[in-house]
Amino acid sequence: MKYKQIMIAGLGALLVLSGCKRSSDDTKITDAKGIEAGDYDIQLPFESSDSRVNHRKTSGSMNDVYEIGAGLMSRSKDHFSPDSYLVQEGQVLTYSKTKNLLASQSEDNSNGLNPKKDEAFDTGNGMVKNPAIVTDIYELDFIKNKEIKGLSVALVLQDTFSEDAKTEAGVPYQKKTKMDSKKLRLYGEEAGRKLISYLRKQPQVGDDMPIYIALFLANSSDETLPGSYFADAYFTSRSKEFSDIDEEWVMFPSSRAEELDSATLAQFKNISKSIEDFLPEDVGFIGQGRFNDKKLDELRITVSIQAKDHVECVAVIQRLNALLNDLSNQDMVLKVDVQSNRETIAVLNRKEGTSKITVTMLI
């Protein structure tokens, strides 16, 4: 009986402590600051977007999912300063609203952003049926005094469509048709303006709220690379023209990387060769470079080794840390993921405008 009383008292104390801890956490939830200077603070308490479940299903690879969100937040800073606004996941476009917008135009759904189902669509490179050109919509809300004071939206498009077809011999295959780039741009602009008109009718938005919209092309041809933004516009109370965005992701090494930045590619190859010579077994050394206005502003490198012990891992990381100083372009962000047997063992980062490399060991 005495043992039971002790247990009950202990449980009571745990419940009290748990209650105290929860109360303490609740007080902290009002404070969340950006990690880096110039980052947005997140509006708290955090509210998930009702339409978030769409993104993984409709935006293609996770490369695109991350790039769309990060790119939209970064580009929004030109219109909504992190010094003046908090940011939250979109609360205007609910799941049901987004689902209707991503559907085909019809008598029952005049807001649909995709072509009518009963009409063949001219891609500029052939006719296709029921193309899903607009595949997703991302929304960010910008907050002042706990009220939405601005919106950013990314309209995600694809330019390649598959249809069931048969050869002359009757053999079935998947016919792929790629939309002409000029037609895609015009379609994206029209869909963007239609989306702006729809948003203006929402009670949280109205006629005068500033809205930034960017058009993103998902990379359907190569899931190893993210897609890219290709046009944007900033709407206040009046209509605005869309401007070009010259953004492109490129594999390192590749002929395209050679064409855009031969100096960085040569340095990349030298580092790769040095790491390969450093180890007795095969090494994977692959990069993804993002170019804006034909200038490399971010390089991500994945190094894959097959280390047999801890010392070998440390040796590779130390050697790589020294070699990365040979990448002379300091106007880019550098991110290096070092993996051994498919597990990340270290991350090396270099910020734009500095030569200092930060190493985070995970073993």
Side-chain angles (χ1 to χ4, degrees):
M1 185 70 178
K2 185 177 180 181
Y3 175 75
K4 289 183 178 179
Q5 289 174 341
I6 293 172
M7 287 291 292
I8 291 170
L11 287 170
L14 284 172
L15 288 171
V16 170
L17 287 171
S18 298
C20 291
K21 186 176 187 302
R22 185 178 298 111
S23 175
S24 177
D25 286 348
D26 287 344
T27 61
K28 292 179 181 178
I29 203 168
T30 59
D31 184 26
K33 299 297 182 182
I35 304 300
E36 302 283 351
D39 285 353
Y40 285 107
D41 298 345
I42 303 296
Q43 170 70 21
L44 294 177
F46 180 78
E47 289 188 54
S48 295
S49 170
D50 186 41
S51 63
R52 60 192 284 274
V53 295
N54 280 321
H55 300 327
R56 183 63 185 98
K57 291 189 282 186
T58 58
S59 292
S61 69
M62 288 306 295
N63 279 330
D64 279 349
V65 172
Y66 297 139
E67 188 60 27
I68 293 164
L72 182 62
M73 188 174 289
S74 177
R75 294 183 180 281
S76 296
K77 293 177 182 179
D78 290 337
H79 310 286
F80 306 104
S81 170
D83 294 331
S84 303
Y85 295 89
L86 302 176
V87 69
Q88 70 176 11
E89 281 195 347
Q91 303 298 316
V92 177
L93 295 177
T94 62
Y95 174 81
S96 60
K97 290 176 180 178
T98 303
K99 185 177 179 180
N100 287 334
L101 286 165
L102 296 178
S104 301
Q105 299 173 40
S106 66
E107 292 182 1
D108 298 330
N109 184 25
S110 60
N111 295 316
L113 298 178
N114 281 302
K116 295 179 180 179
K117 282 188 175 181
D118 55 355
E119 296 180 3
F121 180 82
D122 183 6
T123 66
N125 289 315
M127 307 297 288
V128 296
K129 295 180 180 179
N130 307 331
I133 301 172
V134 180
T135 62
D136 206 352
I137 303 169
Y138 285 65
E139 175 198 343
L140 295 175
D141 299 342
F142 295 93
I143 311 298
K144 272 187 178 181
N145 300 320
K146 298 183 179 181
E147 294 183 356
I148 299 175
K149 295 297 184 180
L151 295 182
S152 282
V153 288
L155 205 59
V156 183
L157 301 98
Q158 63 175 347
D159 64 355
T160 304
F161 314 102
S162 298
E163 290 183 296
D164 293 331
K166 290 184 178 181
T167 65
E168 293 182 359
V171 179
Y173 73 100
Q174 283 284 302
K175 178 185 177 183
K176 291 191 175 183
T177 305
K178 186 169 183 177
M179 192 169 176
D180 176 78
S181 59
K182 291 182 179 179
K183 291 210 70 166
L184 180 74
R185 168 65 181 265
L186 288 173
Y187 192 95
E189 287 190 20
E190 291 174 3
R193 293 182 189 282
K194 186 174 181 179
L195 177 59
I196 295 295
S197 297
Y198 177 86
L199 287 169
R200 292 283 182 219
K201 297 174 184 176
Q202 307 308 304
Q204 309 98 309
V205 181
D207 294 332
D208 298 323
M209 181 177 290
I211 303 174
Y212 171 71
I213 183 168
L215 307 182
F216 183 92
L217 177 60
N219 196 347
S220 58
S221 61
D222 185 357
E223 287 197 354
T224 61
L225 286 172
S228 56
Y229 284 97
F230 65 95
D232 65 354
Y234 180 66
F235 291 80
T236 51
S237 57
R238 292 179 294 176
S239 178
K240 296 291 184 181
E241 293 298 319
F242 278 79
S243 300
D244 290 333
I245 296 176
D246 182 8
E247 180 179 89
E248 181 181 1
W249 280 94
V250 173
M251 291 299 297
F252 275 68
S254 69
S255 58
R256 184 60 174 157
E258 174 74 34
E259 181 182 345
L260 291 171
D261 193 338
S262 59
T264 299
L265 178 60
Q267 295 164 0
F268 176 93
K269 288 181 175 179
N270 288 337
I271 296 171
S272 176
K273 181 68 166 55
S274 296
I275 293 295
E276 289 173 4
D277 293 342
F278 189 71
L279 293 172
E281 295 169 322
D282 290 341
V283 174
F285 201 93
I286 299 295
Q288 300 172 320
R290 185 182 65 195
F291 290 82
N292 269 294
D293 297 323
K294 302 294 187 294
K295 294 180 180 179
L296 184 62
D297 65 3
E298 181 170 332
L299 180 60
R300 303 173 185 173
I301 301 174
T302 301
V303 183
S304 302
I305 64 174
Q306 302 172 55
K308 300 300 186 289
D309 57 39
H310 180 264
V311 174
E312 187 175 343
C313 290
V314 174
V316 170
I317 295 165
Q318 290 182 355
R319 178 62 177 151
L320 184 61
N321 183 38
L323 289 170
L324 289 175
N325 289 312
D326 294 341
L327 289 170
S328 59
N329 179 3
Q330 294 184 7
D331 293 328
M332 68 177 181
V333 173
L334 178 63
K335 300 178 181 179
V336 183
D337 178 21
V338 185
Q339 301 178 1
S340 178
N341 303 304
R342 299 185 178 181
E343 291 187 4
T344 298
I345 59 173
V347 177
L348 294 83
N349 291 304
R350 189 178 73 188
K351 296 179 183 179
E352 179 183 357
T354 181
S355 61
K356 182 181 178 181
I357 296 172
T358 302
V359 181
T360 303
M361 300 286 291
L362 300 176
I363 55 172

